[in-house]
Amino acid sequence: MTTQADINREIDQLRGSGGPQPRLDYPPYRSSVLRHPTRDRQLVDPEGVELWAPCFGAADVDDAEADLTIQRAGEPLGERMVVTGRITDGDGRPVRDQLVEIWQANASGRYWHQRDQHPAPLDPNFVGAGRCLTGADGVYSFQTIKPGAYPWRNHVNAWRPAHIHFSLFGTDFTQRLVTQMYFPGDPLFDLDPIYQSITDPKAREMLVASYDHELTTPEYRLGYRWDIVLSGTHRTPLEEQ
């Protein structure tokens, strides 16, 4: 039986102190040592990369890809929501034509992936992946279903807070930013070593979306707003790989 002392001890182990980006080696996140680069960074010539890097434009990304609720014939189960925000550089300038990709678990906390075999139901009408391009004002927008929490085997009784994964490419394919967006007031924050690996509390807050009642559509969907900064001192914390 788990006692309050066990819970308090687990919270103490997950907390730390440090900077605005995740630690490369964060012992409570047991796989961190396996997921980050172990070799020195290599300088890349951006002009050379452009000769073989993939290219995309407005013709390659359909507007419908930003609506994760219409990817199958039926309606997905769960709490319908819209998440939108503005992507800027370190000087506050909007980043236009930015490719934004998201992936997430369904409302029951299960991914549409063969490796996810935990006993939660799959939703045949929800794949959980989408993408869009930002407009001239740097704004992105997705309609989706609020994801559920799910268990993982990092430690005893480990559960991930509800979150959505984001991938952005900055101004070229050598600047990819991968991060996670969380929801306000989640009781699992204190127990999640991935969230806690960003040990600056103010930096962690940058990963949490805010509820926006003006974005909420009566009797249809809730609205959340989450802005992303790609560079500078207020850069959105990344997800260590």
Side-chain angles (χ1 to χ4, degrees):
M1 179 178 178
T2 302
T3 66
Q4 185 62 48
D6 293 330
I7 295 174
N8 291 340
R9 183 163 51 252
E10 187 173 56
I11 292 175
D12 289 340
Q13 291 173 346
L14 295 177
R15 286 176 172 163
S17 60
Q21 293 294 333
R23 297 182 184 181
L24 289 181
D25 290 319
Y26 186 58
Y29 180 17
R30 294 179 180 175
S31 64
S32 63
V33 68
L34 303 175
R35 291 170 59 89
H36 72 75
T38 57
R39 300 180 181 179
D40 293 337
R41 296 181 180 181
Q42 299 295 317
L43 295 178
V44 177
D45 177 10
E47 294 184 0
V49 172
E50 290 173 358
L51 297 177
W52 51 266
C55 298
F56 65 92
D60 302 306
V61 182
D62 192 281
D63 290 343
E65 295 182 70
D67 190 344
L68 282 66
T69 69
I70 61 172
Q71 296 175 339
R72 291 293 187 267
E75 286 277 346
L77 299 174
E79 181 181 300
R80 189 185 291 108
M81 53 170 278
V82 60
V83 56
T84 187
R86 190 166 177 260
I87 299 175
T88 59
D89 62 18
D91 296 318
R93 296 171 298 202
V95 181
R96 62 181 302 173
D97 297 326
Q98 168 70 202
L99 177 63
V100 185
E101 299 172 307
I102 65 170
W103 62 97
Q104 63 171 92
N106 65 22
S108 298
R110 187 167 175 183
Y111 286 95
W112 189 279
H113 193 285
Q114 63 182 2
R115 293 184 62 184
D116 189 347
Q117 297 294 320
H118 92 272
L122 280 173
D123 187 341
N125 295 312
F126 188 75
V127 176
R131 62 179 186 168
C132 72
L133 293 176
T134 58
D137 52 2
V139 171
Y140 73 89
S141 183
F142 292 98
Q143 178 165 278
T144 185
I145 297 296
K146 186 176 181 180
Y150 59 81
W152 61 313
R153 297 178 179 178
N154 183 77
H155 55 277
V156 176
N157 204 14
W159 290 79
R160 294 283 349 263
H163 61 278
I164 298 177
H165 297 268
F166 275 72
S167 168
L168 303 95
F169 280 102
T171 56
D172 60 52
F173 280 85
T174 65
Q175 298 179 342
R176 188 182 184 207
L177 168 70
V178 179
T179 187
Q180 300 181 21
M181 185 206 85
Y182 298 89
F183 295 86
D186 197 308
L188 293 173
F189 283 158
D190 277 348
L191 294 167
D192 182 52
I194 296 181
Y195 181 76
Q196 293 293 334
S197 68
I198 303 168
T199 52
D200 181 341
K202 291 184 178 180
R204 284 200 300 264
E205 292 175 2
M206 296 171 63
L207 295 177
V208 182
S210 59
Y211 171 73
D212 191 322
H213 201 60
E214 293 185 0
L215 287 174
T216 298
T217 305
E219 301 182 25
Y220 187 68
R221 67 185 187 186
L222 294 177
Y224 291 89
R225 187 174 298 278
W226 190 54
D227 296 330
I228 301 171
V229 181
L230 293 180
S231 60
T233 57
H234 291 84
R235 179 187 180 190
T236 300
L238 53 83
E239 173 186 336
E240 291 295 353
Q241 296 295 310

